[in-house]
Amino acid sequence: MGQGTDQGVAGDGRTPPPDKIAAGNAGQAETWNGDDGRYWVQQRERQEARYRRLTPHLMAAAGIRADSRVLDIGCGSGGTSLEAARAAAEGAVLGVDVSAPMLAEARKRAADSGLPQAAFERGDAQVHRFEDGAFDIAISRFGVMFFADPEAAFANIARALRPGGQLAFLCWRSLRDNAYMTVPMDAIAPYVQLPELDAPGAPGPFSLADADRITKLLDSTGFDEITISAVDEPMWMGPDPDDVVAYQLDMPGSRAMLAEASAEARAKTVTALRDALAEHQGSDGVTLGSAAWLVTARRR
């Protein structure tokens, strides 16, 4: 999400240099360059499968043309960047993220796919000195909810777009609207201490759940023609309950959560999660509902 590349970065590779990370985003950078980043690289194919019914909404709204210059904010391992590059065959795509492990995977995928028009940089969209008006379109698939200062980030993204340039992103609606989160969480809540994922005003997956907040945020940072549409799609979780249990409990956050629980609580957690997921097994595997906002706007 921002400025710079991995080339010449000193240190242990866990975080970008301090000048590339906004003051409030150091924790996010540490997270995505540690176990979380490496875990999501390993789970890249599953993640793309989970989003396979959501991603087409974003790409249709973006309106990418063959010669478009596209900015992908919070690009992760490059799934949407590569889709954008296929559409912008004569243009250019820049994917930006704070996670070095995920960006390395994105670069590899672009090379393997023969998409030289896709490039990737490491940094923070809040503080990156984008060239004014360098892009026709900015997209993000669930990558804009983690800014410590969303006003600064969206103002910076607006400056990166040419006048009239298109913004399109997906963000999650409320936690309670998203069964892919609540079904597992409700099942295991009696046995473990769950993290708070929707603290008001705090960066996190549900920080843009309030549509009115999105409208005010974009209007105040240089955008107009704002549209916000609800997108409800089933999310594929995995082929069967045992597979999904193994996947979910291997997440870095889940491992930390279970480490603090007793052996009995861990065993009950596994059983409760498997039983809850089994109720959602179908011919396509385990699916749970997801609820997102599809947001589009134009730079003034």
Side-chain angles (χ1 to χ4, degrees):
M1 298 180 289
Q3 167 187 340
T5 69
D6 287 336
Q7 304 304 314
V9 174
D12 64 2
R14 289 176 60 82
T15 57
D19 64 319
K20 297 178 184 175
I21 298 297
N25 273 6
Q28 290 290 335
E30 179 71 15
T31 295
W32 293 107
N33 284 280
D35 288 345
D36 284 67
R38 290 186 288 272
Y39 177 80
W40 290 117
V41 168
Q42 295 167 2
Q43 296 292 337
R44 174 188 59 78
E45 291 186 5
R46 180 190 293 267
Q47 196 72 348
E48 292 300 325
R50 280 160 57 90
Y51 290 158
R52 67 190 179 199
R53 294 183 177 94
L54 292 161
T55 303
H57 292 277
L58 174 65
M59 304 312 292
I64 299 169
R65 298 169 51 171
D67 61 350
S68 292
R69 301 166 300 164
V70 183
L71 174 63
D72 188 359
I73 301 294
C75 66
S77 295
T80 46
S81 299
L82 269 58
E83 286 214 27
R86 293 183 184 100
E90 301 166 14
V93 178
L94 177 64
V96 189
D97 203 286
V98 298
S99 174
M102 298 177 82
L103 288 170
E105 177 68 12
R107 292 190 185 99
K108 179 180 182 299
R109 293 180 63 199
D112 291 347
S113 300
L115 295 170
Q117 65 270 40
F120 299 91
E121 294 186 356
R122 184 184 185 197
D124 183 348
Q126 288 183 208
V127 296
H128 178 42
R129 292 184 296 275
F130 291 114
E131 179 184 349
D132 288 355
F135 299 96
D136 304 304
I137 300 167
I139 64 172
S140 184
R141 184 183 65 186
F142 306 115
V144 295
M145 302 93 68
F146 302 96
F147 298 124
D149 186 346
E151 290 81 5
F154 280 104
N156 208 23
I157 294 166
R159 285 192 294 272
L161 287 167
R162 61 169 174 78
Q166 173 86 335
L167 171 68
F169 67 83
L170 285 167
C171 62
W172 296 119
R173 302 205 314 264
S174 73
L175 173 61
R176 296 314 306 179
D177 286 336
N178 278 280
Y180 86 92
M181 292 290 292
T182 59
V183 167
M185 291 176 69
D186 289 350
I188 68 175
Y191 312 111
V192 293
Q193 181 65 46
L194 296 174
E196 185 176 12
L197 298 176
D198 56 350
F206 304 101
S207 68
L208 296 179
D210 184 342
D212 289 339
R213 183 189 183 204
I214 297 172
T215 299
K216 293 174 183 176
L217 177 61
L218 294 180
D219 181 65
S220 68
T221 54
F223 292 97
D224 57 19
E225 299 184 34
I226 301 162
T227 68
I228 303 176
S229 306
V231 175
D232 294 88
E233 291 285 3
M235 181 183 289
W236 182 85
M237 305 295 290
D240 57 64
D242 286 335
D243 172 86
V244 182
V245 168
Y247 155 69
Q248 294 210 319
L249 296 186
D250 191 44
M251 292 179 183
S254 298
R255 292 200 302 268
M257 178 180 65
L258 289 173
E260 300 178 359
S262 67
E264 180 182 8
R266 290 195 295 271
K268 289 182 177 180
T269 295
V270 171
T271 299
L273 184 55
R274 183 185 295 111
D275 289 347
L277 293 168
E279 296 180 12
H280 300 273
Q281 172 83 53
S283 59
D284 188 38
V286 179
T287 59
L288 295 171
S290 72
W293 293 123
L294 175 64
V295 181
T296 62
R298 295 277 179 186
R299 181 195 167 179
R300 290 194 188 95

